[in-house]
Amino acid sequence: MKKILLLSILLWTGWVSAQTIDLDKENRDPKYVESIVSRSQKIVDKLGINDAKVAEDVRNVIANRYFTLNDIYETRDAKVKEIKESDLVGEAKNNALKAAEDAKDAALYRIHFAFPADLSLFLTEEQIEAVKDGMTYGVLKITYDSHLDMIPSLKKEEKVQIYAWLKEAREFAIDAENSDRKHAFFGKYKGRINNYLAKRGYDLTKEREEWYKRVKARGGSL
């Protein structure tokens, strides 16, 4: 209720509508910018935003996020290249490489929470969730629905736990450097979910076999 009231006040005073998000395209390869803008626009197109200006601002928030992530990983890669080409060896080299990774992780952490905060100026919680799904190929919903379909007997608390872990995986995947790394984070959490379900007494091999039969019987595919 407080959030709704605050947003109402901001809208009434014109503060939110006055925000303009510029595209951070300076000194970037035009083709790369075009690719990122196109990718971001596809996410925005699914949000049902009727205001063209708001849609553009949201698109720029998303695109700028991709740019920032790219900058962080390029900085890390340049540092790693420098270390590998240096005279460092053994433990000193390993420590330097680890420091480069740690610096990357720290940079990611510093920007992580700013993204949903920026989106919240224009979008509802549901729309922000849709943006996160769009940036992670919808793997959360696909994986969650698959688990429910595979094990219809899942208890409420088990469903809640599975969904919570998949949301956590998505938070890491949003900041990952490429699609393989994004999927890897979900894979890691799928393993955690499988271990959890096994400890809860589920025979996952049997559940999966029966699921395959049900899917095949209804003419579907996995």
Side-chain angles (χ1 to χ4, degrees):
M1 182 61 72
K2 290 182 179 179
K3 182 175 180 180
I4 294 175
L5 179 60
L6 176 60
L7 286 173
S8 297
I9 293 173
L10 292 174
L11 287 168
W12 180 72
T13 58
W15 186 80
V16 170
S17 61
Q19 301 307 294
T20 297
I21 307 299
D22 294 324
L23 189 66
D24 182 18
K25 63 181 180 179
E26 296 301 319
N27 301 316
R28 300 186 188 279
D29 182 345
K31 289 186 178 180
Y32 169 65
V33 171
E34 182 181 357
S35 173
I36 292 300
V37 168
S38 176
R39 183 191 306 178
S40 303
Q41 188 62 53
K42 289 178 182 178
I43 295 173
V44 173
D45 288 342
K46 298 179 180 180
L47 300 179
I49 301 173
N50 296 321
D51 188 313
K53 179 62 173 61
V54 171
E56 180 182 356
D57 285 333
V58 172
R59 184 204 67 191
N60 289 349
V61 169
I62 298 171
N64 288 345
R65 176 66 171 193
Y66 281 121
F67 294 148
T68 301
L69 290 172
N70 184 69
D71 292 345
I72 290 173
Y73 283 107
E74 283 195 344
T75 298
R76 188 276 314 272
D77 291 344
K79 187 62 178 178
V80 168
K81 184 174 184 293
E82 177 186 332
I83 294 168
K84 289 184 176 180
E85 293 176 350
S86 72
D87 296 329
L88 291 173
V89 295
E91 185 176 354
K93 183 176 183 179
N94 291 335
N95 288 340
L97 290 171
K98 183 178 184 303
E101 286 296 323
D102 289 345
K104 176 263 295 180
D105 290 339
L108 290 176
Y109 181 80
R110 285 193 295 271
I111 68 163
H112 183 79
F113 301 100
F115 182 54
D118 291 341
L119 290 175
S120 70
L121 294 174
F122 308 99
L123 304 178
T124 65
E125 290 295 330
E126 291 76 13
Q127 288 173 317
I128 293 174
E129 288 289 298
V131 170
K132 291 181 177 182
D133 285 333
M135 296 179 73
T136 53
Y137 316 112
V139 176
L140 185 156
K141 178 174 172 54
I142 293 170
T143 306
Y144 181 70
D145 289 348
S146 294
H147 277 82
L148 266 57
D149 195 32
M150 182 175 72
I151 312 176
S153 60
L154 284 172
K155 299 178 178 60
K156 181 179 179 180
E157 64 270 20
E158 293 166 344
K159 295 177 184 179
V160 170
Q161 181 61 81
I162 291 171
Y163 194 77
W165 273 332
L166 290 174
K167 286 191 71 173
E168 186 174 330
R170 188 181 63 183
E171 291 302 303
F172 285 107
I174 287 172
D175 291 344
E177 58 194 295
N178 54 47
S179 60
D180 287 342
R181 290 295 298 151
K182 291 178 187 295
H183 284 289
F185 277 115
F186 282 105
K188 175 182 177 181
Y189 278 82
K190 286 178 188 177
R192 180 179 297 183
I193 291 169
N194 288 342
N195 291 336
Y196 166 74
L197 293 175
K199 290 179 180 179
R200 300 278 292 188
Y202 291 96
D203 184 337
L204 295 181
T205 299
K206 182 177 179 180
E207 294 285 356
R208 193 170 289 108
E209 290 175 351
E210 293 301 317
W211 181 42
Y212 290 165
K213 294 177 183 177
R214 294 196 302 273
V215 171
K216 185 176 181 180
R218 63 192 185 215
S221 60
L222 297 173

